[in-house]
Amino acid sequence: GVKVDLVGAVHIADKGYYTDLNQRFQNYDAVLYELVGGPMPKEGDIDNRPRDPKLMWISELHVRLQKALELASQLKEVHYQVPNFVHADMTVEQFQAAKEEKNESFLGLMAKAFIVQSDLLDKGQARQSPNLIKLLEILCRQDSATELKRLVGREFDSMETLMAGLESGDGTVIVTERNKIAFGVMDREIKAGRNRLALFYGAAHLPSMEKMLIERGFTKVKSEWVKAWTLPPEPKSPAPAPTPSKP
């Protein structure tokens, strides 16, 4: 009798996307959400929450991407203060302890991601990333945000395969270990009688979470796609000039 929706979070998106999610979240007994460090404060500034100083660069990267792509921020637009929102992630102490136990660093993850990406390129399962000249060309255009969205959006195409490579073996703290924490909170909420739940986590976490749910006896009912970025149609390239025929 328990229903669980895996809601894949897109951390920067159109404001309307978050408005839609806020409406959907009202229909759950509990919405379990990710946030390393600690829960969102129930009132006041969201920046007054426990955070790991070593992860501040990720927040800064989100802000820079949000501005460059002219999108809204998940942390600013999602209504975390509502009663049915439940924190389901690691504390700073848990996160650091898990990283030390696995001897996992961001530099190590980046190196592993580079190896996986190179392997995908060799197999023809990923596209070559755009070079600096292409990026500069886009940034100089009048509507650079739209072109950047197209460029970044194309990179999403191989993201699931890349994450599968990163999570090979015993997984990572970033995904596998945090998923275990989320499921521990889910078990607690189910025992408390809440039978309509949402797990609101970054989309990269969902393949593993889906597998974990099926292993627990859940049955997948359906998938639903929600548009996070609205883009105008890509302009068509001008038709090539006809080649003059010889007499």
Side-chain angles (χ1 to χ4, degrees):
V2 176
K3 294 182 179 180
V4 177
D5 285 349
L6 299 179
V7 184
V10 180
H11 303 311
I12 50 174
D14 294 340
K15 187 170 182 176
Y17 164 75
Y18 298 119
T19 300
D20 180 43
L21 286 185
N22 286 329
Q23 293 173 343
R24 292 168 181 257
F25 288 150
Q26 296 175 22
N27 300 319
Y28 295 97
D29 299 329
V31 177
L32 280 52
Y33 67 92
E34 66 171 332
L35 191 66
V36 172
M40 281 287 199
K42 287 299 180 183
E43 56 184 24
D45 192 342
I46 63 170
D47 291 326
N48 294 331
R49 66 188 189 280
R51 287 186 290 178
D52 184 348
K54 295 180 181 179
L55 298 179
M56 292 295 289
W57 66 273
I58 298 179
S59 299
E60 180 63 26
L61 177 62
H62 277 173
V63 171
R64 289 182 180 274
L65 280 173
Q66 174 203 337
K67 291 179 178 178
L69 299 175
E70 297 180 0
L71 294 168
S73 165
Q74 172 187 325
L75 293 181
K76 298 288 186 181
E77 299 297 334
V78 172
H79 298 163
Y80 286 93
Q81 289 80 8
V82 294
N84 65 337
F85 262 55
V86 179
H87 182 250
D89 207 339
M90 290 181 167
T91 63
V92 172
E93 294 76 18
Q94 286 175 316
F95 187 68
Q96 292 300 337
K99 285 200 328 181
E100 289 175 10
E101 184 178 342
K102 280 184 172 286
N103 194 26
E104 182 178 298
S105 67
F106 278 106
L107 285 177
L109 285 175
M110 288 174 67
K112 187 176 180 181
F114 178 79
I115 293 170
V116 173
Q117 180 76 3
S118 298
D119 186 50
L120 292 175
L121 284 168
D122 291 340
K123 294 177 180 177
Q125 296 176 346
R127 59 170 56 87
Q128 186 69 47
S129 297
N131 57 32
L132 180 60
I133 295 176
K134 180 64 176 176
L135 286 172
L136 289 173
E137 177 194 334
I138 290 173
L139 290 171
C140 290
R141 293 180 185 174
Q142 187 173 7
D143 189 10
S144 61
T146 297
E147 291 301 317
L148 280 172
K149 286 176 192 172
R150 289 197 179 103
L151 185 150
V152 175
R154 292 187 186 104
E155 296 304 307
F156 291 160
D157 194 35
S158 58
M159 189 58 66
E160 191 166 335
T161 310
L162 176 63
M163 287 305 303
L166 276 175
E167 289 297 308
S168 59
D170 61 350
T172 65
V173 174
I174 296 292
V175 174
T176 300
E177 298 304 318
R178 289 170 63 206
N179 284 2
K180 293 176 183 177
I181 295 290
F183 270 61
V185 176
M186 183 187 76
D187 290 340
R188 185 192 73 198
E189 294 298 309
I190 291 172
K191 286 180 181 178
R194 297 175 179 90
N195 57 17
R196 186 76 174 91
L197 301 129
L199 276 166
F200 181 43
Y201 252 73
H205 292 259
L206 267 53
S208 172
M209 285 184 165
E210 180 180 306
K211 182 180 178 183
M212 292 169 73
L213 283 172
I214 291 172
E215 288 172 350
R216 287 168 175 241
F218 283 81
T219 301
K220 184 175 179 178
V221 177
K222 67 175 181 177
S223 295
E224 181 181 355
W225 293 90
V226 180
K227 191 176 291 185
W229 294 6
T230 303
L231 283 168
E234 196 161 2
K236 295 181 179 179
S237 301
T243 304
S245 57
K246 294 182 179 180

